[in-house]
Amino acid sequence: MTNEDAGRIRPDVRAALRECRLWRSASESAVDAFASSARVQDAPRGTALLAEGEPAERFGVVVAGKVRIYHLAADGRRITFETLETGDPVSVVAALAGGRYPAHAETVTPATIAWLTRDALFDLIAAEPEAARDLVTDLANRVVNFTAVVQTLALDVPARLARYLFQRALAAGNPSPSGLEVDLGMPKSELASALGTVPETLSRAFARLRDSGVVEVHGRRVVVLDVRGLATLGSGYVEE
Amino acid sequence: MTNEDAGRIRPDVRAALRECRLWRSASESAVDAFASSARVQDAPRGTALLAEGEPAERFGVVVAGKVRIYHLAADGRRITFETLETGDPVSVVAALAGGRYPAHAETVTPATIAWLTRDALFDLIAAEPEAARDLVTDLANRVVNFTAVVQTLALDVPARLARYLFQRALAAGNPSPSGLEVDLGMPKSELASALGTVPETLSRAFARLRDSGVVEVHGRRVVVLDVRGLATLGSGYVEE
DNA sequence: TCTTGACCTTGACGCGGGTCAAATCAGGGA
DNA sequence: TCCCTGATTTGACCCGCGTCAAGGTCAAGA
């Protein structure tokens, strides 16, 4: 780990902090002050950044690279909660809650992390009410998302996959002659983990969707032929 | 629903708002101002307070009674997220996130709810930085709790039950000759829903724990004979 | 062309647990 | 005391999915 001189803020660190949605409305000077308190870590791929159960004394912001947040179940199975990229905060909720880290974090690629303290963040929101509002809104959205995750886990795997593809198709689908084309952007084994299952079961789920005629699968590229059918299989939420 | 005159704050409403941990550090005057903006609803048992999917325009605080927060899965199964009592906030995260309610809420007993607006809460935390800190901490704790819920759902039902009984035994167990006695305080069918299962499976889980010799079951009263064994079945976390 | 290895797919099998149905139990009222 | 209603328990059955094992595909490299 490298300690940065407060007087010299790395441009990539400043940019990443500026991009972080937790304090989007904060002033430039507040972010700079914040950035100058950061401790920057450049880590190779596969580095354990923090371990579940440790006291949560600090939090991070991803400056570059990808970071995986996951839980190791008692039987050794790994549940991936999320994969973080530039500008995303790492374990900020644990640090704010003041307890212990509820999950592990490790780098998936070579990555740079800026580490900050809970108190620095409290100072920031005390000084800038707009930032407090950003932070509260973001935390509230996380809770809502977790609620959705719990609900999704009640669905079977094909439905979870359908819901995932539906969201991806709407958010990042490229129109093509036969339908919306989605690039998974990760190995299917990775997707399986993100959906809370294993590659074999995911493979069968893809086969089901293919046989139902709602998607075509070509390696990592998936063509959604029937968006509405996909939404139905994913149990509703056609709205919006 | 009854609109309260701003000049006359119902004492039970004031007390409930005062008790709410979201703004524990707020001044008396701030809470009174907040309380005077509340709209109070006295609802009989079984009243639907809000429905999943509706725009989240307001949030509530339970003044009296019990409120169940739950999700209806596509197949009609009901998943109870939590049961709220006096001083607990209702759907405050949805209101803060500004989206739609992620779950249903209904009264389990006759209940009184004080309804408040998102803007009133933002005004409160803008005026009182300490309250902002309370709110942020509480939201962060909710996220951590949800993380724990997701992890718990990865366990089988006997393990989930063991974990639940372990926590209850530590938090509210009465020493008795043979061990810690815990009163479930609800029908087993209710407990089954809270643990994400059905009464039949819960009954079998109790039978497993009984046959293992870690608990005795007498209706709603459970005597924990072997706290350590219970913790082991619940997959660890003996610490603390 | 022949490896080698990463990734994906398919089949067989077992277990957990949800569902249906029936038996049992518990409490309240006439 | 007897009956009725709701809660709880038990047994039988089925389905989803995780696991183990066996290919299959593809690309890089010798």
Side-chain angles (χ1 to χ4, degrees), chain A residues 162-178:
Chain A
R163 175 167 293 203
Y164 175 82
L165 290 176
F166 175 70
Q167 291 170 347
R168 284 295 302 267
L170 289 194
N174 294 317
S176 78
S178 47

Side-chain angles (χ1 to χ4, degrees), chain B residues 8-77:
Chain B
R8 293 175 165 272
I9 303 171
R10 272 170 57 164
D12 55 347
V13 171
R14 171 189 277 128
L17 290 184
R18 181 69 271 178
E19 195 177 327
C20 183
R21 65 190 178 286
L22 292 187
W23 43 78
R24 186 187 315 139
S25 312
S27 65
E28 293 295 329
S29 61
V31 172
D32 280 355
F34 201 39
S36 69
S37 75
R39 292 172 43 160
V40 181
Q41 175 180 15
D42 291 302
R45 178 181 169 198
T47 305
L49 294 176
L50 49 87
E52 185 173 329
E54 285 179 351
E57 292 160 344
R58 57 182 190 172
F59 69 96
V61 172
V62 179
V63 174
K66 291 190 181 182
V67 174
R68 173 193 291 136
I69 307 296
Y70 64 96
H71 169 68
L72 282 181
D75 56 5
R77 300 198 351 84

Side-chain angles (χ1 to χ4, degrees), chain A residues 52 67-73 78-84 101-105 142 145-146 149-150 153 190 193-196, chain B residues 143-154:
Chain A
E52 186 174 328
V67 174
R68 174 193 291 135
I69 308 296
Y70 64 97
H71 169 67
L72 284 181
R78 168 186 289 183
I79 305 170
T80 300
F81 287 119
E82 47 183 352
T83 302
L84 307 176
Y101 295 121
H104 297 280
R142 282 163 187 263
N145 284 340
F146 258 108
V149 167
V150 172
L153 286 178
E190 183 93 9
S193 176
L195 293 178
Chain B
V143 178
V144 171
N145 284 340
F146 258 109
T147 307
V149 167
V150 171
Q151 293 175 3
T152 299
L153 286 178

Side-chain angles (χ1 to χ4, degrees), chain A residues 131-220:
Chain A
R133 210 171 150 132
D134 292 338
L135 180 59
V136 165
T137 303
D138 181 83
L139 288 174
N141 274 300
R142 282 163 187 263
V143 177
V144 172
N145 284 340
F146 258 108
T147 306
V149 167
V150 172
Q151 292 175 3
T152 299
L153 286 178
L155 303 174
D156 61 18
V157 174
R160 299 214 286 272
L161 173 60
R163 175 167 293 203
Y164 175 82
L165 290 176
F166 175 70
Q167 291 170 347
R168 284 295 302 267
L170 289 194
N174 294 317
S176 78
S178 47
L180 283 171
E181 189 168 315
V182 175
D183 184 2
L184 296 182
M186 66 182 94
K188 289 211 177 81
S189 53
E190 183 93 9
L191 176 59
S193 176
L195 293 178
T197 184
V198 295
E200 295 95 320
T201 301
L202 178 65
S203 181
R204 288 182 240 268
F206 266 117
R208 287 260 293 269
L209 296 187
R210 184 181 354 102
D211 296 346
S212 304
V214 294
V215 300
E216 270 175 12
V217 184
H218 303 111
R220 291 190 186 181

